[in-house]
Amino acid sequence: MKNLVTRAYEWLDERLDLQDLMAPLRHKTVPVHYYSYWYYLGGITLFLFLVQVFTGILLLLYYRPSANEAFESVQFIMTRVQFGWLIRSIHSWAANLMIFFAFAHMFSVLFLRSYRKPRELTWVSGMVLLVLAMGFGFSGYLLPWNTLAFFATKVGTDIVRQVPVVGHWLMVFLRGGEDVTGATLSRFFGLHVAVLPGITTLLLAIHLALIQRQGISVPGGMEGAMHALKYLRKHDPAAAELWLKQAGAQAERREMPFFPNFFLRELMAWYVALGVLGALAALAPWELGTKADAFAPAPAGIRPEWYFLWMFQTLKLIPAKLGPLDGEMVGVLAFSVAGGLWLLLPFFDRGEGRGSRWILGAGIFALVYMTAMSVYGYLAS
């Protein structure tokens, strides 16, 4: 078997020059410090996205995107297709875990200050990817065409209508009309399986290319020493070796080769994520519920998915009228402004000082606020 693999590798190497392709990986290194395990959050998010793509393609083989057939086709997948229930459950759980790890990755980048120059565009592209991930969740939630998804989509698109100036147009565009109908299902299906994947793939490639180009960041206190060592290794290897000897073995441990050391650790993280995902899908299969009926009353305590809940609960607490303005519109406008400022955070950070402390405080406040309002939303429903 080993000889077969070796011969296959040599055959490919003669034609594709694999040694040359692997050269960048041999020189790539990953910083080692107390917070290195945070580096795995982005990789796990990527892994869950790949799971989404794979299971989504399998579901497409049987799914029918129409109001008359969508629910029955999902029911067929779950009851008649071999392991169909498991594939659908993995797809649903992976979507939620992907958004959870995307949020965790965002806050890890914020608290490690990895958004600072020259990584501003990496932060911006990552933030847009997070919004796209939430768009995947919102558009995919309706596709089974069950009661909860139908009314949650109605509530969600009603909130979209509160966006100043373009709100009504945006709502009609998403719904394919004034109400949630089969046209809405068709539009959400198109967004979920074509538009969002296409944009996400392109932006993901840019995000990964930026990370490869700029390297992996390290906490501020270590950055100077790491850059100095890299500079010496590039321009004066002898001086770098002398520096390492003087600094001792501890300095050498501050970096590890990406391949195979970090790569194998990343694979182990993916393996653990797969185990957790499989356990959730098998022990807590995703329920289908009942078929949507536009003429039925909305179920009591209707609420969006957990990643929208903190915004939904905030809007519920705002009075219906704030002076001459509609309360929901003011809330949506406030979220839009806050989201824009959050996207541009790297451009407000000039290094150590008041600006940097203000951003750290904003990050802690956002994390506490989102967690508290989400818990409150569940308890209040």
Side-chain angles (χ1 to χ4, degrees):
M1 184 64 183
K2 184 177 180 181
N3 290 335
L4 182 63
V5 173
T6 303
R7 286 203 300 272
Y9 177 80
E10 290 173 349
W11 189 88
L12 288 171
D13 189 36
E14 286 179 2
R15 287 151 182 82
L16 302 176
D17 198 5
L18 295 179
Q19 292 290 338
D20 190 50
L21 290 175
M22 295 287 287
L25 288 180
R26 286 199 298 272
H27 294 102
K28 184 176 177 60
T29 58
V30 176
V32 178
H33 48 79
Y34 292 121
Y35 308 108
S36 292
Y37 54 88
W38 285 12
Y39 292 149
Y40 299 105
L41 296 176
I44 292 174
T45 308
L46 173 63
F47 168 71
L48 292 168
F49 174 72
L50 296 177
V51 171
Q52 285 290 94
V53 173
F54 178 69
T55 54
I57 291 172
L58 293 179
L59 292 174
L60 274 179
L61 298 177
Y62 295 95
Y63 179 73
R64 295 175 181 174
S66 74
N68 291 329
E69 296 179 300
F71 182 86
E72 285 77 7
S73 65
V74 177
Q75 199 171 44
F76 180 81
I77 290 171
M78 295 180 66
T79 57
R80 303 291 296 276
V81 178
Q82 195 167 19
F83 296 112
W85 66 272
L86 183 61
I87 298 298
R88 191 217 167 208
S89 195
I90 287 176
H91 190 74
S92 300
W93 275 111
N96 284 270
L97 290 176
M98 180 181 72
I99 295 174
F100 172 80
F101 278 100
F103 269 109
H105 181 46
M106 178 193 72
F107 280 110
S108 73
V109 169
L110 182 78
F111 294 137
L112 285 177
R113 315 286 177 88
S114 302
Y115 55 81
R116 284 178 173 172
K117 182 183 177 181
R119 298 183 179 85
E120 297 96 330
L121 293 179
T122 312
W123 168 270
V124 171
S125 59
M127 283 296 300
V128 178
L129 282 171
L130 174 60
V131 173
L132 290 172
M134 295 171 74
F136 270 112
F138 185 62
S139 57
Y141 193 58
L142 179 66
L143 300 190
W145 199 244
N146 57 31
T147 301
L148 283 177
F150 178 85
F151 286 102
T153 303
K154 191 173 174 56
V155 171
T157 48
D158 272 338
I159 293 174
V160 169
R161 183 165 51 185
Q162 301 302 323
V163 175
V165 184
V166 297
H168 185 261
W169 174 85
L170 194 57
M171 183 204 71
V172 172
F173 172 77
L174 288 174
R175 288 182 174 181
E178 293 290 340
D179 297 313
V180 176
T181 62
T184 315
L185 179 64
S186 298
R187 294 207 171 195
F188 275 42
F189 176 73
L191 287 170
H192 193 73
V193 305
V195 178
L196 291 177
I199 298 173
T200 301
T201 302
L202 176 62
L203 199 61
L204 186 60
I206 294 173
H207 188 68
L208 294 176
L210 287 169
I211 294 172
Q212 295 305 311
R213 180 67 179 169
Q214 296 160 347
I216 298 176
S217 68
V218 295
M222 298 175 57
E223 201 162 15
M226 299 291 288
H227 285 173
L229 179 59
K230 282 186 178 178
Y231 180 84
L232 283 176
R233 276 179 166 164
K234 183 177 181 181
H235 298 281
D236 192 348
E241 291 303 316
L242 179 62
W243 185 87
L244 283 172
K245 286 181 181 177
Q246 292 174 346
Q250 188 177 359
E252 184 63 43
R253 288 199 298 269
R254 287 181 175 176
E255 283 188 333
M256 76 168 84
F258 176 83
F259 190 84
N261 300 50
F262 186 80
F263 179 74
L264 292 177
R265 286 171 170 79
E266 185 76 67
L267 284 183
M268 285 303 299
W270 289 19
Y271 184 71
V272 172
L274 182 62
V276 172
L277 181 60
L280 287 170
L283 299 176
W286 209 262
E287 297 292 337
L288 178 57
T290 57
K291 186 173 182 177
D293 180 0
F295 300 103
I302 190 78
R303 63 190 180 199
E305 285 289 90
W306 62 268
Y307 37 88
F308 291 117
L309 190 55
W310 62 278
M311 288 187 282
F312 178 72
Q313 192 61 31
T314 302
L315 292 177
K316 283 178 67 177
L317 295 177
I318 298 176
K321 285 290 181 182
L322 290 174
L325 301 176
D326 187 272
E328 270 198 356
M329 188 180 74
V330 174
V332 171
L333 184 61
F335 280 130
S336 302
V337 173
L341 292 174
W342 194 263
L343 182 73
L344 299 175
L345 272 187
F347 302 97
F348 301 131
D349 193 340
R350 303 295 181 188
E352 298 296 334
R354 182 179 296 179
S356 181
R357 291 195 295 273
W358 177 84
I359 289 176
L360 178 63
I364 294 172
F365 173 79
L367 180 59
V368 172
Y369 182 81
M370 291 167 68
T371 305
M373 291 303 289
S374 298
V375 172
Y376 178 47
Y378 270 105
L379 295 178
S381 298

